[in-house]
Amino acid sequence: MMRRIVYAIGFFLGLTTCGFSQDITQKDGGKLEVYKVAFLTNRLKLSIDEAQKFWPIYNKYKDEIRQVRRTDRNLDEIAFEERVVKIRKRYKSEFTHALPEERVNQFFKVDKEFNNVVRKELQERELKQMRQQNKRPLSP
Protein backbone atom coordinates (compact mmCIF):
# COMPACT_ATOMS: atom_id res chain seq x y z
CA MET A 1 0.00 0.00 0.00
CA MET A 2 2.80 2.40 0.90
CA ARG A 3 4.49 1.76 -2.45
CA ARG A 4 1.25 2.66 -4.30
CA ILE A 5 1.07 5.94 -2.40
CA VAL A 6 4.66 6.74 -3.35
CA TYR A 7 3.90 5.93 -7.01
CA ALA A 8 0.79 8.10 -6.91
CA ILE A 9 2.76 11.00 -5.49
CA GLY A 10 5.51 10.48 -8.05
CA PHE A 11 3.00 10.43 -10.90
CA PHE A 12 1.18 13.47 -9.53
CA LEU A 13 4.38 15.45 -9.09
CA GLY A 14 5.58 14.38 -12.51
CA LEU A 15 2.32 15.35 -14.17
CA THR A 16 1.93 18.67 -12.43
CA THR A 17 5.50 19.85 -12.70
CA CYS A 18 7.02 18.25 -15.76
CA GLY A 19 4.78 15.69 -17.41
CA PHE A 20 3.17 18.02 -19.89
CA SER A 21 6.15 20.17 -20.72
CA GLN A 22 6.84 20.57 -24.42
CA ASP A 23 9.85 18.72 -25.74
CA ILE A 24 10.88 19.60 -29.27
CA THR A 25 12.65 16.30 -29.88
CA GLN A 26 9.93 14.03 -28.44
CA LYS A 27 6.42 13.86 -29.83
CA ASP A 28 5.26 11.96 -26.73
CA GLY A 29 7.51 13.76 -24.24
CA GLY A 30 4.74 13.88 -21.63
CA LYS A 31 4.26 10.12 -21.60
CA LEU A 32 7.98 9.58 -21.47
CA GLU A 33 8.26 11.85 -18.44
CA VAL A 34 5.52 9.91 -16.65
CA TYR A 35 7.40 6.66 -17.32
CA LYS A 36 10.60 8.26 -16.08
CA VAL A 37 8.95 9.44 -12.88
CA ALA A 38 7.67 5.93 -12.23
CA PHE A 39 11.04 4.38 -13.12
CA LEU A 40 12.99 6.70 -10.82
CA THR A 41 10.47 6.42 -7.99
CA ASN A 42 10.59 2.63 -8.17
CA ARG A 43 14.35 2.24 -8.55
CA LEU A 44 15.20 4.80 -5.88
CA LYS A 45 12.45 3.51 -3.57
CA LEU A 46 11.50 7.06 -2.67
CA SER A 47 9.52 7.56 0.52
CA ILE A 48 6.76 10.16 0.55
CA ASP A 49 8.98 12.65 2.36
CA GLU A 50 11.88 12.02 -0.01
CA ALA A 51 9.65 12.35 -3.06
CA GLN A 52 8.28 15.69 -1.86
CA LYS A 53 11.83 17.02 -1.55
CA PHE A 54 13.35 15.21 -4.54
CA TRP A 55 10.97 16.09 -7.41
CA PRO A 56 11.23 19.90 -7.24
CA ILE A 57 15.04 19.63 -7.27
CA TYR A 58 14.91 17.08 -10.07
CA ASN A 59 12.65 19.32 -12.15
CA LYS A 60 15.08 22.24 -11.88
CA TYR A 61 17.96 19.91 -12.73
CA LYS A 62 16.11 18.48 -15.73
CA ASP A 63 15.21 21.96 -16.98
CA GLU A 64 18.85 23.07 -16.86
CA ILE A 65 20.03 19.98 -18.71
CA ARG A 66 17.29 20.49 -21.31
CA GLN A 67 18.28 24.15 -21.71
CA VAL A 68 21.90 23.17 -22.41
CA ARG A 69 20.73 20.62 -24.99
CA ARG A 70 18.62 23.23 -26.75
CA THR A 71 21.00 26.16 -26.68
CA ASP A 72 24.40 24.50 -26.90
CA ARG A 73 23.80 21.98 -29.67
CA ASN A 74 26.50 23.53 -31.82
CA LEU A 75 29.25 23.09 -29.24
CA ASP A 76 31.75 20.36 -29.86
CA GLU A 77 30.96 17.14 -28.00
CA ILE A 78 33.57 17.62 -25.27
CA ALA A 79 32.43 21.17 -24.46
CA PHE A 80 28.81 20.03 -24.39
CA GLU A 81 29.58 17.13 -22.02
CA GLU A 82 31.61 19.44 -19.78
CA ARG A 83 28.59 21.72 -19.38
CA VAL A 84 26.35 18.79 -18.51
CA VAL A 85 28.88 17.43 -15.99
CA LYS A 86 29.15 20.88 -14.41
CA ILE A 87 25.37 20.92 -13.89
CA ARG A 88 25.42 17.39 -12.46
CA LYS A 89 28.17 18.31 -10.01
CA ARG A 90 26.26 21.38 -8.85
CA TYR A 91 23.05 19.43 -8.38
CA LYS A 92 24.76 16.57 -6.55
CA SER A 93 24.87 18.73 -3.43
CA GLU A 94 21.28 19.92 -4.05
CA PHE A 95 20.02 16.35 -4.20
CA THR A 96 21.59 15.63 -0.80
CA HIS A 97 18.85 17.83 0.70
CA ALA A 98 16.37 15.14 -0.39
CA LEU A 99 18.39 11.92 -0.34
CA PRO A 100 21.42 10.49 1.44
CA GLU A 101 24.63 10.87 -0.57
CA GLU A 102 24.87 7.22 -1.61
CA ARG A 103 21.33 7.39 -3.02
CA VAL A 104 22.19 10.58 -4.88
CA ASN A 105 24.90 8.63 -6.64
CA GLN A 106 22.36 5.88 -7.27
CA PHE A 107 20.02 8.51 -8.79
CA PHE A 108 22.62 9.50 -11.37
CA LYS A 109 23.14 5.84 -12.28
CA VAL A 110 19.41 5.13 -12.50
CA ASP A 111 18.86 8.28 -14.58
CA LYS A 112 21.51 7.08 -17.01
CA GLU A 113 19.99 3.59 -17.00
CA PHE A 114 16.58 5.01 -17.94
CA ASN A 115 18.10 6.96 -20.82
CA ASN A 116 19.82 3.79 -22.04
CA VAL A 117 16.56 1.83 -21.84
CA VAL A 118 14.77 4.50 -23.89
CA ARG A 119 17.60 4.65 -26.42
CA LYS A 120 17.57 0.88 -26.82
CA GLU A 121 13.78 0.82 -27.23
CA LEU A 122 13.94 3.51 -29.91
CA GLN A 123 16.65 1.62 -31.76
CA GLU A 124 14.62 -1.59 -31.64
CA ARG A 125 11.54 0.22 -32.95
CA GLU A 126 13.52 1.78 -35.79
CA LEU A 127 14.98 -1.60 -36.70
CA LYS A 128 11.54 -3.22 -36.64
CA GLN A 129 10.13 -0.43 -38.81
CA MET A 130 12.98 -0.79 -41.30
CA ARG A 131 12.39 -4.55 -41.49
CA GLN A 132 8.69 -4.03 -42.10
CA GLN A 133 9.37 -1.50 -44.85
CA ASN A 134 11.75 -3.92 -46.58
CA LYS A 135 9.13 -6.71 -46.55
CA ARG A 136 6.48 -4.62 -48.29
CA PRO A 137 6.06 -5.46 -51.97
CA LEU A 138 6.71 -2.63 -54.40
CA SER A 139 3.55 -1.12 -55.88
CA PRO A 140 3.21 -1.27 -59.71
Side-chain angles (χ1 to χ4, degrees):
M1 183 65 177
M2 182 67 155
R3 186 168 241 156
R4 286 184 185 178
I5 292 170
V6 171
Y7 287 137
I9 289 173
F11 277 110
F12 176 74
L13 290 171
L15 288 173
T16 59
T17 58
C18 68
F20 295 109
S21 61
Q22 293 282 326
D23 187 352
I24 294 170
T25 61
Q26 296 272 342
K27 184 166 57 170
D28 260 349
K31 282 185 182 179
L32 189 59
E33 283 298 324
V34 170
Y35 291 132
K36 188 169 190 175
V37 166
F39 189 87
L40 291 173
T41 300
N42 183 31
R43 292 294 177 100
L44 295 174
K45 296 178 175 80
L46 296 176
S47 70
I48 294 171
D49 186 48
E50 289 170 336
Q52 288 174 338
K53 294 175 185 175
F54 175 81
W55 291 113
I57 298 167
Y58 171 79
N59 290 326
K60 288 190 281 182
Y61 163 77
K62 179 195 60 156
D63 290 343
E64 282 194 43
I65 297 288
R66 182 177 288 149
Q67 185 65 31
V68 168
R69 286 193 176 115
R70 286 183 179 156
T71 59
D72 298 344
R73 285 184 179 165
N74 297 329
L75 289 176
D76 68 52
E77 186 64 20
I78 301 297
F80 172 78
E81 288 298 324
E82 284 176 343
R83 285 206 150 163
V84 171
V85 167
K86 188 176 180 182
I87 292 169
R88 287 183 178 144
K89 283 181 178 180
R90 187 165 26 94
Y91 273 91
K92 183 176 182 180
S93 66
E94 289 286 323
F95 282 120
T96 60
H97 297 294
L99 302 172
E101 192 167 338
E102 64 274 358
R103 291 192 47 221
V104 171
N105 191 45
Q106 181 186 8
F107 156 70
F108 286 110
K109 289 178 182 180
V110 170
D111 189 48
K112 190 179 223 177
E113 180 184 349
F114 179 82
N115 292 333
N116 290 336
V117 167
V118 170
R119 188 176 300 113
K120 183 178 178 182
E121 176 67 26
L122 289 173
Q123 288 172 343
E124 288 174 5
R125 287 182 185 195
E126 285 178 13
L127 184 59
K128 184 178 177 181
Q129 186 178 25
M130 286 173 45
R131 286 179 183 155
Q132 288 175 348
Q133 288 174 350
N134 289 337
K135 288 182 181 180
R136 292 184 187 156
L138 295 174
S139 304

